[in-house]
Amino acid sequence: MKETAKDRKERVEKYTESVKKEEETKLIIGMKKSFPFGSSLRDAMQTLELAREFTADCLKAVTKNKDISNEDVTRLRQLAWLRNVPTVAIAEIIARSSCRSYGPGGTILNGKESPRNIYFVCRGSVRVHQASAGRVQTQMVNQGACFGLAGVVAENRRLHVMEAYPTGDGCKLLELPAVEMRQILDLYPVLWDSVERIRDLRRILPRPGRPDMCAVSAS
């Protein structure tokens, strides 16, 4: 049966579309190579458009659908243990975190269990109480600081329960599960080195009579 002009046009269109999809797949695979296996950023690159967004500016790509400002990202990058890590590692932290706001009188941690998240304070401040050796240590964790890091650097050590409450008009936190943080540390060893260095230099683990240094500020 002789091929009609219409049939030929449809065949060419299907072939062109097939070649286009194949080329896009190759481009996506090539772009993904700049991210390690297991990266949530890599997994998010399902289309060529997304792949281009993440390779062009991964921070912009992960924050566009989250309630996180450029100022929040800047303060996050100024934390002592995040200052010298790659941008892609910061993007990984943001991508795996959830943004949550707490109003006046709210409760972040109720003291019934050990903290399982790292909390980055994007806005406002948090009053943290932690029991250690029969004493209760209290400190204010302000905008630009974080608390709960000891749950990551000392996962095999029994940590005391913690209470945390927003102060003033409330606060906005970026909450990263400790299990996600450990995966990120495996993906970016330089970040693990940075966390270890903070622990060694600042004695990050709680001790009797010493402020809980798991609340690490940008200073």
Side-chain angles (χ1 to χ4, degrees), residues 2-219:
K2 186 177 180 181
E3 184 180 49
T4 65
K6 180 180 179 181
D7 292 337
R8 187 182 305 110
K9 180 181 179 182
E10 290 179 352
R11 177 173 57 81
V12 172
E13 287 178 349
K14 288 181 180 179
Y15 174 75
T16 302
E17 184 65 24
S18 175
V19 171
K20 180 181 177 182
K21 288 183 178 179
E22 184 177 347
E23 290 301 314
E24 287 183 353
T25 299
K26 289 180 181 178
L27 286 171
I28 292 172
I29 292 174
M31 292 178 182
K32 284 186 174 183
K33 289 182 179 179
S34 61
F35 299 87
F37 283 105
S39 166
S40 62
L41 309 183
R42 183 188 180 108
D43 294 340
M45 297 164 63
Q46 298 297 319
T47 66
L48 183 58
E49 181 181 1
L50 286 172
R52 284 172 172 163
E53 284 184 15
F54 277 92
T55 51
D57 190 338
C58 57
L59 278 175
K60 182 178 180 180
V62 298
T63 57
K64 71 175 185 178
N65 294 321
K66 290 180 179 285
D67 183 23
I68 301 175
S69 67
N70 291 334
E71 290 75 17
D72 293 335
V73 175
T74 298
R75 283 190 288 268
L76 184 66
R77 300 194 70 168
Q78 289 175 346
L79 284 167
W81 57 284
L82 292 178
R83 285 177 184 165
N84 299 315
V85 302
T87 298
V88 66
I90 302 295
E92 194 81 49
I93 288 174
I94 295 173
R96 295 180 184 232
S97 300
S98 58
C99 196
R100 186 172 178 183
S101 295
Y102 295 86
T107 299
I108 301 167
L109 293 170
N110 59 17
K112 294 182 178 179
E113 59 183 12
S114 298
R116 297 180 180 179
N117 296 333
I118 299 174
Y119 299 87
F120 302 92
V121 183
C122 297
R123 177 179 60 79
S125 58
V126 177
R127 186 175 68 255
V128 177
H129 307 284
Q130 183 167 359
S132 179
R135 300 179 59 181
V136 177
Q137 301 172 14
T138 301
Q139 65 175 352
M140 296 293 293
V141 183
N142 299 315
Q143 178 177 284
C146 72
F147 61 97
L149 185 58
V152 175
V153 299
E155 59 179 307
N156 296 321
R157 173 172 171 170
R158 181 180 179 277
L159 295 176
H160 295 286
V161 296
M162 181 184 293
E163 294 182 29
Y165 306 97
T167 64
D169 295 329
C171 66
K172 183 178 76 173
L173 304 179
L174 196 63
E175 302 179 355
L176 175 65
V179 63
E180 296 283 354
M181 186 65 201
R182 293 187 192 105
Q183 292 177 7
I184 296 174
L185 291 170
D186 288 339
L187 291 173
Y188 305 97
V190 63
L191 180 56
W192 197 204
D193 293 341
S194 183
V195 171
E196 287 283 1
R197 185 166 59 253
I198 293 298
R199 180 176 66 174
D200 293 338
L201 295 179
R202 293 193 166 196
R203 299 176 181 269
I204 202 168
L205 303 180
R207 293 188 179 187
R210 181 188 296 274
D212 177 16
M213 292 307 293
C214 67
V216 184
S217 68
S219 59

